[in-house]
Amino acid sequence: MLSGVFADLFRFVALGFVIFGDQVVLCEVFLYIIDLTVEFTSLQHVHHNSVINIEADIRALQLDSAEENNGVGGVIPADQNSDGVEIVDKMDEDLKDEVQESAPVPDVQQAPEDHDQEMLHPVHNPAKAKEKAAQEKAAKEEAEEEAEANKKRHLNVVFIGHVDAGKSTIGGQILFLSGQVDDRQIQKYEKEAKEKSRESWYMAYIMDTNEEERAKGKTVEVGRAHFETESTRFTILDAPGHKSYVPNMISGASQADIGVLVISARKGEFETGYERGGQTREHVQLAKTLGVSKLVVVVNKMDDPTVNWSKERYDEIEQKMVPFLKSSGYNTKKDVIFLPISGLMGINIDKSMDRNVCPWFSGPSFFEVLNAIEVPPRDPNGPFRMPIIDKFKDMGTVVMGKVESGSIREGDSLIVMPNKEHVKVVAIYCDEDKVKRAGPGENLRVRITGIEDEDILAGFVLSSTVKPVPAVTEFVAQLQILELLDNAIFTAGYKAILHIHAVVEECEIIELISQIDMKTRKPMKKKILFVKNGAAVVCRIQVSNSICVEKFSDFPQLGRFTLRTEGKTIAVGKVTALSGASSSA
């Protein structure tokens, strides 16, 4: 009731302003309004009819004021007066319309015109919010895939060769020249090496990180580091050269795409590594067997006083190595390249050397060769395979390995073979960066749930659930006998250590199926009981525990292996058939 009266009073004021222009009349109008307000306040409990009387008095005052104004300012014609009434009625209607329009009316379909309006009148639409979140997620995934597609290609490079050839020094120099190690660290290593009277070892300290390796000057574990060029990301795998650590070298070479065979040009050192029993020969054979299809032969220590960049010494080494590389299965014209370098001084590594240093060599630098090497394409859409080389505990179970086939994404459900444990991918780390997905050829650390680290062994395979890797205890293989111990014979019952991808397992030859004719490369019909050095044979091999292998024709990376006994490689081979394979998830 109170609000209705005040609305009428203010409406009257508005009408007074429109109709009357004389200030005296306006003052009278306001004084009368004040009197009415006071009167109304004192008569709050009066019936509604009193309010009606007040409205009647106000209208009477309207008429009196109109007549008075006509007497002062002249007579207003009837038609003009009617226009004024129409104006009053129209303004009354406009005022009501404005009041109605000012009231907020919620509308979910019409977006607010500004941020303030949105904050005052928030509209919650679950379907629209869900759709927006889905669009944002799709856009983010598309951006990640585009970034992955534009990512530099990745190659794993293993450094192999005889002990003391300079593998770790070259690796350290590469990291320094590519900006991975700063001058301050180099000075620290120089000081440490000088204190041990090993001044020339300071670059190797970048790769050889533990005290045993630094004290002896011999790499024990496979060193791992990363560097980049303009077009490619590289992972360095610094394999040990000493014969006692060949199993570790095999582990490193099994992850590599490219091999860098380091040969020392220093007088006497090349001969020691190349002669029978030297690691240069064994490393080349193992690299080829383990799938390293491209080889860069770097002739190191060319700056040594006994060599002094001698072309004759370089040619001598090349002439001796080419026939041996051919016999090991390498195409020396397509798959092998020779380079003279100095690892300690960093000459011909990141840029081509000056003619003043070596006038007879005008070829590319080491980095240029690595950038130009082409490797066979990998299938990112194939069944996922990642042989596990190591595992540890870090906010869950983390496994390490190289993706040999397929792709992996955060949230994927996979299976660990051969123990058939279903796991879920929680996080993926490539180099030191966390990524959402990764393709074949990448060295990864993958955090998984659903399994404890003590239930995982090196050689287990992280595999897709749709087509898991087979697990067997027996398989048929084609073997090439290299060198048996003390001219022993190779027959059923022969035992050795099997190295296949990351698996190291004791095995036994349980049957010789047939011998391969070396000329025709076909099986001979004659039944055999034993073979000797240099023979090729098809045989059946048995292991005590289930291992994950594939046929070489289906998956070369998981189908090639070596046999070793008493610290010596006696045979290399490939899997041709699986016996009693178990792959059901």
Side-chain angles (χ1 to χ4, degrees):
M1 178 178 173
L2 182 63
S3 59
V5 173
F6 275 102
D8 289 333
L9 292 177
F10 285 116
R11 185 183 293 113
F12 171 72
V13 173
L15 293 176
F17 270 99
V18 173
I19 297 174
F20 307 111
D22 192 273
Q23 295 181 359
V24 176
V25 175
L26 290 176
C27 288
E28 291 180 1
V29 170
F30 277 112
L31 289 173
Y32 189 69
I33 289 171
I34 293 169
D35 292 337
L36 289 174
T37 304
V38 173
E39 183 179 354
F40 176 76
T41 304
S42 61
L43 299 172
Q44 290 182 12
H45 302 289
V46 180
H47 193 264
H48 177 65
N49 292 336
S50 301
V51 177
I52 295 175
N53 293 336
I54 292 172
E55 289 180 348
D57 291 340
I58 292 172
R59 292 193 181 280
L61 178 63
Q62 253 183 323
L63 294 174
D64 293 341
S65 299
E67 290 174 0
E68 184 178 353
N69 190 54
N70 288 339
V72 175
V75 178
I76 299 175
D79 55 349
Q80 187 175 347
N81 187 50
S82 64
D83 290 340
V85 173
E86 288 176 5
I87 293 172
V88 172
D89 294 338
K90 189 174 186 307
M91 290 199 66
D92 194 4
E93 292 173 2
D94 291 343
L95 187 61
K96 290 180 180 180
D97 292 339
E98 287 176 8
V99 172
Q100 289 177 354
E101 288 175 2
S102 65
V105 179
D107 187 0
V108 294
Q109 295 179 350
Q110 182 177 359
E113 293 183 358
D114 53 56
H115 182 68
D116 292 339
Q117 186 74 5
E118 185 178 358
M119 294 299 291
L120 287 170
H121 306 289
V123 178
H124 180 63
N125 189 336
K128 194 171 182 180
K130 191 175 181 180
E131 182 183 353
K132 186 178 179 182
Q135 289 174 350
E136 289 176 353
K137 185 179 179 182
K140 188 177 179 181
E141 288 179 355
E142 186 178 347
E144 287 173 356
E145 288 181 2
E146 186 177 350
E148 181 68 27
N150 297 330
K151 203 174 184 181
K152 295 178 182 179
R153 70 169 184 161
H154 177 259
L155 293 177
N156 297 287
V157 184
V158 63
F159 284 77
I160 59 176
H162 193 67
V163 64
D164 289 335
K167 299 182 293 298
S168 296
T169 296
I170 294 172
Q173 188 68 256
I174 287 171
L175 295 180
F176 174 62
L177 294 173
S178 60
Q180 307 300 312
V181 181
D182 57 28
D183 290 327
R184 188 173 179 182
Q185 286 176 292
I186 292 295
Q187 290 170 6
K188 175 187 171 186
Y189 294 141
E190 278 185 304
K191 182 181 178 183
E192 187 176 341
K194 193 172 183 180
E195 289 172 353
K196 296 177 180 178
S197 300
R198 297 287 187 269
E199 288 87 346
S200 63
W201 290 5
Y202 72 96
M203 276 293 176
Y205 283 10
I206 299 172
M207 295 299 299
D208 295 339
T209 54
N210 67 46
E211 283 304 317
E212 180 189 357
E213 291 178 326
R214 291 183 177 183
K216 294 180 179 179
K218 293 179 176 63
T219 303
V220 177
E221 300 290 336
V222 176
R224 189 183 296 269
H226 311 280
F227 76 99
E228 292 188 17
T229 61
E230 295 82 2
S231 61
T232 311
R233 295 178 298 117
F234 293 98
T235 296
I236 297 175
L237 302 166
D238 180 24
H242 197 276
K243 62 182 180 180
S244 300
Y245 308 118
V246 169
N248 293 343
M249 175 268 167
I250 292 173
S251 172
S254 67
Q255 304 167 51
D257 304 301
I258 304 170
V260 177
L261 176 62
V262 181
I263 294 174
S264 172
R266 184 179 288 163
K267 191 173 181 179
E269 288 190 359
F270 164 67
E271 289 74 13
T272 303
Y274 180 71
E275 288 170 1
R276 188 178 295 272
Q279 297 310 298
T280 300
R281 299 173 73 95
E282 185 176 14
H283 279 201
V284 169
Q285 292 170 334
L286 288 172
K288 183 62 179 176
T289 303
L290 294 165
V292 179
S293 58
K294 303 285 184 179
L295 203 61
V296 181
V297 182
V298 292
V299 183
N300 190 27
K301 304 185 183 181
M302 289 293 292
D303 60 327
D304 189 82
T306 63
V307 182
N308 198 22
W309 296 97
S310 167
K311 188 176 188 303
E312 290 74 20
R313 179 62 168 167
Y314 179 82
D315 289 342
E316 177 192 355
I317 292 170
E318 185 173 353
Q319 288 166 8
K320 286 186 177 180
M321 286 300 302
V322 166
F324 173 68
L325 292 171
K326 284 182 178 178
S327 68
S328 300
Y330 282 102
N331 184 331
T332 53
K333 292 183 178 179
K334 292 182 178 179
D335 300 331
V336 179
I337 186 168
F338 284 79
L339 283 177
I341 68 166
S342 169
L344 184 62
M345 304 306 295
I347 299 173
N348 204 34
I349 292 182
D350 62 328
K351 55 187 177 181
S352 298
M353 63 181 131
D354 197 321
R355 283 296 186 92
N356 296 329
V357 176
C358 184
W360 50 267
F361 184 80
S362 58
S365 68
F366 182 59
F367 278 16
E368 290 170 342
V369 169
L370 291 179
N371 280 329
I373 286 180
E374 294 293 333
V375 295
R378 308 178 183 97
D379 183 12
N381 300 316
F384 184 73
R385 301 283 188 272
M386 191 185 90
I388 296 170
I389 61 172
D390 199 4
K391 48 77 189 266
F392 57 91
K393 211 174 195 59
D394 179 18
M395 296 172 62
T397 302
V398 179
V399 294
M400 296 172 59
K402 176 191 172 188
V403 180
E404 297 291 358
S405 171
S407 300
I408 184 172
R409 289 177 180 271
E410 209 174 78
D412 279 356
S413 294
L414 301 173
I415 186 171
V416 176
M417 294 292 286
N419 55 355
K420 302 177 184 178
E421 293 282 353
H422 288 267
V423 297
K424 186 172 183 179
V425 177
V426 178
I428 306 168
Y429 297 90
C430 181
D431 296 344
E432 301 302 321
D433 303 321
K434 186 176 180 182
V435 295
K436 292 288 185 183
R437 65 182 297 274
E442 297 285 1
N443 292 302
L444 304 178
R445 286 177 291 122
V446 182
R447 182 176 289 117
I448 54 178
T449 59
I451 192 171
E452 295 298 324
D453 64 318
E454 55 262 25
D455 297 327
I456 300 174
L457 298 175
F460 283 14
V461 177
L462 194 60
S463 171
S464 56
T465 56
V466 176
K467 192 179 179 183
V469 61
V472 301
T473 56
E474 190 179 299
F475 59 90
V476 177
Q478 181 178 318
L479 276 180
Q480 175 70 50
I481 310 298
L482 299 177
E483 187 177 357
L484 297 170
L485 293 177
D486 302 323
N487 290 321
I489 60 172
F490 189 84
T491 183
Y494 193 98
K495 293 185 179 180
I497 302 298
L498 170 74
H499 294 261
I500 182 166
H501 58 87
V503 172
V504 181
E505 190 79 24
E506 188 175 337
C507 71
E508 181 180 351
I509 310 300
I510 59 173
E511 181 187 0
L512 296 184
I513 299 173
S514 62
Q515 187 171 354
I516 304 288
D517 189 328
M518 298 301 289
K519 292 180 180 178
T520 63
R521 309 301 297 177
K522 292 182 179 179
M524 298 166 64
K525 294 182 179 179
K526 185 175 70 172
K527 187 169 179 64
I528 55 167
L529 296 176
F530 65 91
V531 292
K532 294 186 177 181
N533 284 344
V537 62
V538 177
C539 61
R540 191 179 302 277
I541 300 176
Q542 187 180 68
V543 292
S544 54
N545 298 309
S546 289
I547 60 172
C548 298
V549 298
E550 297 264 15
K551 288 198 295 184
F552 181 83
S553 56
D554 296 338
F555 249 109
Q557 300 91 334
L558 303 183
R560 52 169 72 96
F561 64 91
T562 62
L563 294 181
R564 288 175 56 81
T565 182
E566 296 184 22
K568 197 170 185 180
T569 302
I570 62 164
V572 295
K574 58 184 180 182
V575 178
T576 57
L578 304 177
S579 302
S582 172
S583 60
S584 60

